[in-house]
Amino acid sequence: MTEALFTPFTLGDISVRNRIVMAPLTRNRARPEDDTPYALHAEYYAQRAGAGLIITEGTQISPEGKGYAWTPGIYSDAQVAGWKAVTEAVHAKGGRIAAQLWHVGRVSHTSLQEGGAAPVAPSAIGAASKTFDGTSFVQTSVPRALELDEIPRIVEDYRRAARNADAAGFDGVEIHAANGYLIDQFLRDTSNTRTDAYGGSVENRVRFLREVVEAVTGVLGAGRVGVRLSPFSNANNVGIDSDTLATFSAAIDVLNGAGVAFLHMVEGQTGGPRDWPEGALEALRDRFKGAYIANNGYTRDTAISAVASGKVDLVAFGKLYISNPDLAERLALDAPLNPLPTDGLYGGGAKGYTDYPMLARTAA
């Protein structure tokens, strides 16, 4: 009997060969001069095309949305051309790939912003976290609060990014609303102390998410759009909302109202413990009407069990995909996994990026 994890599935308008998702993995290898992906990225993603769905590394929707050195964008013609080579390489291997649309908000540094400007955020509250500026890890800069009349400009950046993703040949997009980045900052009352239409009540704090989702689905259609949330994570010191269940129930209602294809949920702390108040994650998961992608610390056995239960539709794997480009095949065969290296994870070239052995080469 074939376990459900290894069977085909359809997320909205995206049909995939199995229920294994490659999670977004920042690898800091875009061209430094213009944040453009190039041939090395095409090779990297094509190697991993055995996943049912690949979700790219975070891809900034504008220069302002950048928070780390050498991360790719999706706002220029050169970037679109670079991503087009990636999607063509993945499609040639029979894979499916979605672009993760990313604005980091306050998780940035003035050296990464045009003209040395302060990063932007819903409120002028620093993240007190670290970022990489191309030379070393530095403290994130204190942001300035966005003016009310600036918010439509950022929504328009998301709309343009969706158009660019379509032009680049992506099968869909994932809106990054997790891990303490801009949309997550708007959602939580720990990072959003605004007193206008985007702050205060839960209804106001989900407004920015709603407008972004409407903009992106207006371009691509809801069946090609997903959203990532991390309600129980304090990534980038975003803080835990005073009423997580109410806030993220409202966020999920936004997604249901738009009819998005999937919800990609970080279950617990990002890359950490799978902890949440009893029943809270389950309530949010059950509230969502589309395909549910579970993420955080899954193994082969727990992924098989989760999908078999019917509560989870797909499972995303992150770190395992770094050193196991053929992870989906290895999981299906219950084959040994390559160990995760300690160097070559961020920055550089092919070493530590595209040079991991696959099963066929291992056997040879």
Side-chain angles (χ1 to χ4, degrees):
M1 182 186 74
T2 301
E3 298 287 359
L5 179 67
F6 307 114
T7 61
F9 189 75
T10 300
L11 310 84
D13 296 336
I14 307 170
S15 296
V16 297
R17 66 174 95 188
N18 57 56
R19 318 256 196 130
I20 296 166
V21 176
M22 176 179 164
L25 292 162
T26 294
R27 304 299 303 279
N28 303 85
R29 279 171 166 84
R31 292 192 190 280
E33 61 269 26
D34 60 2
D35 295 337
T36 298
Y38 57 104
L40 188 64
H41 295 78
E43 179 183 4
Y44 169 78
Y45 283 111
Q47 286 178 344
R48 290 154 178 81
L53 178 65
I54 294 172
I55 303 175
T56 71
E57 62 210 277
T59 304
Q60 57 253 13
I61 61 170
S62 65
E64 177 191 77
K66 180 178 179 178
Y68 305 84
W70 315 328
T71 52
I74 193 163
Y75 53 85
S76 74
D77 291 343
Q79 291 162 356
V80 171
W83 282 120
K84 188 171 181 59
V86 170
T87 64
E88 289 175 346
V90 170
H91 291 154
K93 294 284 189 71
R96 297 289 180 265
I97 184 168
Q100 191 187 62
L101 305 185
W102 191 29
H103 191 306
V104 302
R106 70 184 190 177
V107 187
S108 188
H109 188 266
T110 54
S111 64
L112 298 169
Q113 295 289 310
E114 290 185 324
V120 299
S123 303
I125 303 170
S129 58
K130 298 281 189 179
T131 188
F132 183 66
D133 67 357
T135 302
S136 62
F137 283 92
V138 295
Q139 188 86 358
T140 51
S141 301
V142 176
R144 67 173 181 83
L146 283 161
E147 298 293 339
L148 187 61
D149 62 3
E150 290 184 284
I151 294 175
R153 165 180 63 80
I154 298 181
V155 173
E156 187 58 36
D157 287 340
Y158 277 99
R159 182 179 286 109
R160 179 182 60 187
R163 291 194 192 104
N164 287 345
D166 193 42
F170 282 103
D171 297 287
V173 302
E174 175 178 281
I175 298 168
H176 197 347
N179 295 351
Y181 296 117
L182 183 63
I183 297 175
D184 204 14
Q185 292 160 28
F186 268 94
L187 290 175
R188 302 180 191 233
D189 56 14
T190 52
S191 50
N192 181 352
T193 59
R194 300 177 73 94
T195 57
D196 58 19
Y198 291 88
S201 68
V202 170
E203 180 183 3
N204 284 354
R205 284 184 279 117
V206 302
R207 189 184 306 275
F208 182 59
L209 171 65
R210 177 181 289 109
E211 291 177 351
V212 170
V213 168
E214 288 174 351
V216 173
T217 57
V219 172
L220 296 173
R224 295 173 64 195
V225 177
V227 176
R228 193 183 205 200
L229 297 175
S230 59
F232 308 103
S233 176
N234 188 32
N236 289 304
N237 294 319
V238 72
I240 301 299
D241 189 83
S242 64
D243 192 340
T244 298
L245 200 55
T247 296
F248 284 88
S249 292
I252 288 173
D253 288 346
V254 167
L255 310 189
N256 286 334
V260 301
F262 65 87
L263 168 60
H264 182 184
M265 184 77 89
V266 179
E267 299 180 341
Q269 288 287 350
T270 304
R274 291 176 52 81
D275 296 335
W276 53 82
E278 184 176 357
L281 172 68
E282 294 77 8
L284 294 176
R285 181 189 66 202
D286 294 346
R287 192 180 191 95
F288 182 63
K289 297 177 181 177
Y292 180 90
I293 302 175
N295 181 311
N296 201 23
Y298 278 84
T299 65
R300 180 182 189 272
D301 288 346
T302 58
I304 287 173
S305 177
V307 174
S309 75
K311 296 292 187 180
V312 167
D313 296 304
L314 305 95
V315 176
F317 296 88
K319 289 180 182 178
L320 293 181
Y321 257 115
I322 292 176
S323 53
N324 296 278
D326 52 354
L327 180 64
E329 183 181 1
R330 288 175 185 265
L331 293 177
L333 296 173
D334 199 11
L337 301 180
N338 297 322
L340 183 69
T342 55
D343 57 2
L345 297 181
Y346 304 107
K351 182 174 173 55
Y353 192 58
T354 56
D355 60 349
Y356 298 103
M358 294 191 187
L359 283 173
R361 292 206 298 268
T362 300

